[in-house]
Amino acid sequence: MNESISFFGGGNMASAIAGGMQAANRLPQTLRLVDPDPRVREVWAERYGATCIATVDAPACESDYWVLAVKPQQMKDLCQAIACFQGSDGGAALSPGARTHGVISVAAGVRIARLAQWLGHSHRYIRCMPNTPALIGRGVTALYADEHLPEHDKAVAQRIIDCVGKSLWLSNEDAMDAVTAVSGSGPAYVFRMIEAMQDAALSLGLNSEASRILVLETLRGASELAAQSTLTPAQLREQVTSKGGTTAAALEVFEAEDYGGLILRALTRAAARSAELASLD
């Protein structure tokens, strides 16, 4: 990439993005990282050739694009630190002649309006919500930007995110809360299911290795089948379920425990929490 990029925060998601860009030969010639952890800085310097610093400084703010990859609770402080080097009064407005930047945020819940309030309204903002399978190039990311954002900025964000899996653009920023609940947090639900199924397999007498292989390969195969099939998940489920059989017996337990309702309540709570994060000050 020709554009220079500064990552603010070098944790798992930022590292997944940088690793994906490296694998796709899309790392920029000028790559900067701001992260307080010396171990993270060492890895980024050695692995990605990044110029690394512990705290925000003027050179880090000179990059064409900023990737804001800190926790939502840390975003205000980060933005205010960046704003100090942009000639803005707390982020509300940039001084005349100040340079504007492309800003890509991966923080859950933090709306573009709030970022603009903290950083300045003249910057070009994109929100994205990747998930942890990005670590192996199998992530899915939703992106949102104002309809007036230049196409070049969208293309840059797309080239970055495409390095870690599939992506889609949203037309409504509020939909990011649902995305966070479904796919952003979704891997944790799957990991919890893996954990529960493996524990059940052990209880039924299988050893740990057999439990692990059977559960992981079952979930992997079922997901791939659902992705490739023209049938709906309900139709696929019906194909596996013989009346009075073992699958039917298990599904009866799920239904008795309101499995669908449980999933709905959990995702609704996650989406609500994403909306709550938007109000953090």
Side-chain angles (χ1 to χ4, degrees):
M1 294 183 66
N2 295 324
E3 296 83 1
S4 55
I5 300 176
S6 286
F7 279 79
F8 294 87
N12 286 338
M13 191 53 64
S15 295
I17 293 171
M21 294 177 70
Q22 182 181 56
N25 196 29
R26 292 183 186 176
L27 281 177
Q29 287 189 336
T30 301
L31 177 65
R32 301 180 174 102
L33 170 72
V34 178
D35 194 286
D37 190 330
R39 295 167 298 179
V40 171
R41 297 197 302 272
E42 181 180 359
V43 169
W44 276 65
E46 293 180 357
R47 187 173 298 171
Y48 309 126
T51 299
C52 302
I53 57 169
T55 57
V56 176
D57 67 359
C61 298
E62 292 173 357
S63 294
D64 300 315
Y65 288 87
W66 303 334
V67 178
L68 309 183
V70 299
K71 295 178 180 179
Q73 297 87 342
Q74 300 172 318
M75 188 62 78
K76 182 179 181 180
D77 288 344
L78 171 62
C79 289
Q80 290 180 336
I82 295 172
C84 289
F85 292 96
Q86 291 295 295
S88 65
D89 52 356
L94 296 177
S95 61
R99 183 183 174 195
T100 64
H101 302 262
V103 181
I104 301 171
S105 170
V106 299
V110 183
R111 302 295 198 264
I112 285 177
R114 185 59 62 91
L115 292 172
Q117 176 187 350
W118 294 333
L119 273 177
H121 295 279
S122 298
H123 297 302
R124 292 110 51 209
Y125 293 93
I126 296 173
R127 283 186 64 193
C128 64
M129 177 49 59
N131 61 7
T132 54
L135 290 165
I136 60 169
R138 294 294 300 273
V140 61
T141 303
L143 301 99
Y144 171 80
D146 182 88
E147 61 181 356
H148 302 298
L149 187 80
E151 287 301 319
H152 177 73
D153 291 321
K154 290 185 178 180
V156 169
Q158 187 77 62
R159 289 201 301 273
I160 293 172
I161 294 302
D162 281 350
C163 295
V164 293
K166 297 183 181 297
S167 63
L168 58 93
W169 285 89
L170 303 176
S171 59
N172 181 352
E173 187 175 11
D174 288 342
M176 273 293 189
D177 294 328
V179 168
T180 301
V182 174
S183 62
S185 300
Y189 317 150
V190 177
F191 299 147
R192 183 65 184 92
M193 185 174 186
I194 292 171
E195 181 185 10
M197 288 183 68
Q198 288 186 182
D199 287 345
L202 288 171
S203 296
L204 291 170
L206 294 172
N207 63 41
S208 58
E209 182 63 15
S211 299
R212 181 178 184 276
I213 292 173
L214 290 170
V215 171
L216 290 179
E217 292 306 314
T218 296
L219 290 174
R220 191 201 312 271
S223 296
E224 289 295 332
L225 178 59
Q228 296 179 26
S229 178
T230 59
L231 300 178
T232 66
Q235 290 171 324
L236 291 170
R237 171 175 52 79
E238 290 167 359
Q239 282 188 347
V240 183
T241 309
S242 300
K243 186 176 181 179
T246 59
T247 306
L251 291 174
E252 286 173 4
V253 176
F254 285 150
E255 293 308 313
E257 298 294 332
D258 190 24
Y259 186 73
L262 175 64
I263 297 297
L264 175 59
R265 292 191 296 276
L267 269 64
T268 299
R269 181 65 191 98
R273 180 55 182 160
S274 178
E276 290 168 5
L277 291 173
S279 64
L280 291 178
D281 199 357

